[in-house]
Amino acid sequence: MLYRIGRAMFRIIFTFFFRLRAIGIENVPKDGAVVLCGNHTSLWDPPMLGTPLKRMVHFMAKAELFDIPILGSIIAKVGAFPVKRGGVSRESIRLAIQLLKDGNMMGVFPEGTRSNAGGMGKKGAASLALKSGAAVVPVAIIGNYSLFRRMTIVYGKPLDLSAFAGGSSEDLELATDTIMKEIRSIHAAHSHG
């Protein structure tokens, strides 16, 4: 319920202030496990990733956020779960894999920090997808959240990562490269549109 209210609120904000255009929503599976993998440039990115979609998107969030009065309980109710600073704990990974095995959708930013834009992808997204059998949907968020300037979000077609199902470190590296290349390719294809 709270998630639906929040999503409706963000739809109004993004549509009015950022002239949001969403492309490729039909590429996101309507049910089953899905990992949305997006580029990360702003604190606005998590709500941006899920706002155009009907399904709830779960996120890992910094554990410290859950200690903030009111905010902590709100983000827990809208599908976020804590991850400790200094790396994702085994417990967080287990919870994420279970969420996916239960047929939920997760939003992940393979670049990790916002300052790593265009850098190497972290292997967590590929690992989660391969361990849970989730579909991986690459997502490009285009624009810089300037007031009344167009923001575009493009959901690409699900990627076939079955070639990397071995799950070795090299497989994860290659799967992550595949995801990152696709995000960049979608971004490049729609940046001037």
Side-chain angles (χ1 to χ4, degrees), residues 4-171:
R4 283 205 301 272
I5 293 167
R7 184 177 54 203
M9 206 172 66
F10 275 115
R11 271 190 189 150
I12 292 165
I13 292 168
F14 287 145
T15 303
F16 182 73
F17 292 108
F18 301 120
R19 298 173 52 218
L20 176 62
R21 177 177 58 173
I23 298 169
I25 292 172
E26 69 282 358
N27 291 327
V28 180
K30 293 193 172 31
D31 46 44
V34 178
V35 178
L36 297 175
C37 293
N39 55 314
H40 197 14
T41 58
S42 163
L43 291 170
W44 287 102
D45 292 339
M48 172 63 81
L49 203 61
T51 294
L53 304 174
K54 288 193 168 73
R55 294 181 64 186
M56 183 177 192
V57 183
H58 295 266
F59 289 95
M60 291 184 186
K62 283 191 293 200
E64 295 85 0
L65 295 175
F66 290 84
D67 299 331
I68 300 170
I70 303 171
L71 178 66
S73 64
I74 289 173
I75 60 174
K77 284 190 177 88
V78 295
F81 57 96
V83 57
K84 294 182 180 70
R85 192 188 281 287
V88 180
S89 68
R90 269 203 208 101
E91 187 186 340
S92 301
I93 291 169
R94 261 201 307 271
L95 184 53
I97 290 170
Q98 194 53 57
L99 271 169
L100 290 166
K101 284 187 170 169
D102 291 344
N104 291 295
M105 182 154 58
M106 277 198 67
V108 178
F109 298 103
E111 288 167 342
T113 58
R114 285 170 294 152
S115 58
N116 189 33
M120 276 299 295
K122 295 192 174 179
K123 294 185 275 196
S127 175
L128 285 177
L130 292 170
K131 283 179 178 162
S132 65
V136 174
V137 175
V139 185
I141 298 172
I142 302 161
N144 58 7
Y145 297 96
S146 297
L147 280 180
F148 308 114
R149 300 290 297 275
R150 163 86 65 206
M151 283 298 298
T152 302
I153 184 163
V154 185
Y155 299 91
K157 288 186 170 15
L159 296 172
D160 179 5
L161 298 181
S162 57
F164 315 111
S168 69
S169 188
E170 191 184 353
D171 282 332

